[in-house]
Amino acid sequence: MTAERDRALGALLGLAIGDALGMPTQSLSRSAIAERYGIVDRLLDGADDQPIAPNLPAGTVTDDTEQALLLARVLVEHEGRVPPRVFAARLEAWEQEMIRRGSLDLLGPSTRRALTRLAEGEPAERAGRDGTTNGAAMRVTPVGIAHTGAGLLDAVVESAVVTHHTAPGIAAAAAVAAAVSAGVSGAGLGAALEESVTAARDGARRGGWAAGADVAARLAIAYRMLPGLPPDRLADAVTDVVGTSVAATESVVAALGLAAALGDDPRTALVTAASLGGDTDTVAAICGAVLGAVHGVAGLPAGLTATVRRVNRQLLDPLDGLVDGLLTLRADARDTTFR
């Protein structure tokens, strides 16, 4: 396995591991998680009163991984492009499958609203005009694997526009994709996170205005504030100051801030993310994707990797082929750049 392929596979596996760790704690408060589980340092079943993932077996992934792999397939099938109506139809079909399976893990509020508008005849570039949640960012990792350089931001926008065509939505997705792309290219953690700030700043200019904080500014502050804090103060800062809600300006900054603070120890970073409360599966998934891209498969917790691959065998067995397809797109993009 080449180093680039190892890091690309690490990005998707890191996303899945973080997603599975955060599955049983999503939408719970930090205090409720502490009372029930303590620190979430292992894969846990979804409890019968879990508000989104009741009774799911330990190690099961959620919409973060499923939608990321859905996007990966669209990218491979369409030569690196994400046709908005094709993608919308795939998301609709995914939700119907979730309903058929009895899952409560359905499309998020921004995506659901945008797809309804699209079905009612609104143009794709208008459907996601108020999508400020983290949906585009949680699924964008394959774009960071498939694209690099000047074309990366265009690809991020294309993957986000139909559901999250706002400055926060695109900025957050661009930050994640840029960090992943830099990691796959061999950048260290610091350099990858620097790329995330630049991409967030550029991405914000590609979406419509929406009230709220600036993603790039919040990332820059988080990268200065969080590293070096002891565990309790770090958790306090992320939950109380950064925030872990579904808002792109909170959960994505929390995920990348944890990567900045704990990125030399991916297991601790993911365990911390899964224990914070709020949108834990997405915070841990994004953090895992970036750290997997930087450290590769060997840098991820081996036991967790094996369990998550086994529990989600049907979904993750095609992962190696998908990675090869995404890296072929990446190589093609590089060749085009240097012609």
Side-chain angles (χ1 to χ4, degrees), residues 34 44 46 52 81 100 121 151 174 188 195 198 201 214 247 288 325-327:
L44 298 163
I52 298 176
R81 301 297 306 276
R100 188 192 67 77
E195 291 291 331
T198 300
R201 190 174 298 117
D214 179 72
L326 293 170
L327 289 177

Side-chain angles (χ1 to χ4, degrees), residues 28 33 49 66 83 86 89 115-116 120 145 173 201 234 241 249 270-271 275 292 296 300 305 311:
L28 301 181
I33 294 168
D49 61 348
E66 295 207 7
V86 170
L115 297 191
T116 298
E120 292 171 348
I145 297 171
R201 190 174 298 117
L234 174 62
V241 180
T249 53
L270 298 181
V271 163
S275 304
L300 299 171
T305 303
V311 171

Side-chain angles (χ1 to χ4, degrees), residues 147-172:
H147 290 275
T148 186
L152 177 63
L153 183 56
D154 287 341
V156 170
V157 172
E158 191 173 51
S159 75
V161 65
V162 72
T163 57
H164 293 79
H165 197 188
T166 65
I170 292 177

Side-chain angles (χ1 to χ4, degrees), residues 8-133:
L9 184 59
L12 291 175
L13 286 174
L15 185 149
I17 293 166
D19 186 11
L21 272 172
M23 174 272 290
T25 57
Q26 59 184 312
S27 296
L28 301 181
S29 69
R30 183 178 164 199
S31 60
I33 294 168
E35 181 178 351
R36 177 173 291 193
Y37 300 116
I39 297 295
V40 184
D41 58 358
R42 60 211 180 280
L43 296 167
L44 298 163
D45 294 328
D48 57 7
D49 61 348
Q50 216 299 321
I52 298 176
N55 302 309
L56 285 184
T60 304
V61 299
T62 76
D63 59 333
D64 300 77
T65 305
E66 295 207 7
Q67 289 189 29
L69 297 186
L70 183 158
L71 176 56
R73 291 190 289 273
V74 171
L75 283 163
V76 171
E77 291 167 12
H78 292 271
E79 300 181 337
R81 301 297 306 276
V82 184
R85 290 189 178 275
V86 170
F87 189 38
R90 298 290 181 89
L91 289 170
E92 288 277 14
W94 173 84
E95 183 175 60
Q96 291 306 308
E97 174 61 17
M98 292 299 102
I99 292 170
R100 188 192 67 77
R101 285 156 48 179
S103 173
L104 300 178
D105 204 0
L106 305 178
L107 295 172
S110 294
T111 299
R112 177 71 268 154
R113 186 164 54 244
L115 297 191
T116 298
R117 289 172 177 161
L118 200 65
E120 292 171 348
E122 291 205 31
E125 63 272 14
R126 288 283 297 155
R129 62 184 176 271
D130 50 11
T132 59
T133 52

